[in-house]
Amino acid sequence: MWRFTADPVRLLIIDARALAPFALWIAHMREWTFILAIIGVLFFSVLAWLGLTLPVAVRMLRVILCGPVRPRLPSWKKRDYA
């Protein structure tokens, strides 16, 4: 009975979180919001197909842009022990 409770919710074959941009379209039904909702659904569907959530994808993008080195403190806050 509780076997599939940790699985993501799906509506047909699309992850339910990917349908969130359609809330924007429901609130403001215009052609540009419909196109924006379709692009959002495609983006979130690709992320779900890759097995990623949005926070994980943002972290991966940050690593690609900034590199894997994460200093503990910024350079202007480091103490000089000399």
Side-chain angles (χ1 to χ4, degrees):
M1 180 175 190
W2 296 97
R3 183 176 180 181
F4 299 109
T5 57
D7 289 346
V9 178
R10 295 191 178 275
L11 184 64
L12 298 177
I13 60 171
I14 299 176
D15 189 4
R17 291 175 290 191
L19 296 174
F22 270 106
L24 176 67
W25 180 67
I26 295 295
H28 186 75
M29 288 188 178
R30 297 285 187 260
E31 184 179 351
W32 68 271
T33 54
F34 180 72
I35 293 170
L36 189 67
I38 293 293
I39 291 170
V41 166
L42 290 174
F43 174 73
F44 286 119
S45 296
V46 167
L47 285 182
W49 180 70
L50 293 172
L52 302 173
T53 61
L54 187 60
V56 172
V58 170
R59 287 184 194 124
M60 288 178 66
L61 180 65
R62 191 205 52 158
V63 167
I64 290 170
L65 294 177
C66 300
V69 177
R70 291 175 36 180
R72 184 177 64 86
L73 290 173
S75 61
W76 65 87
K77 288 188 177 181
K78 288 186 180 179
R79 294 182 181 173
D80 187 27
Y81 292 109

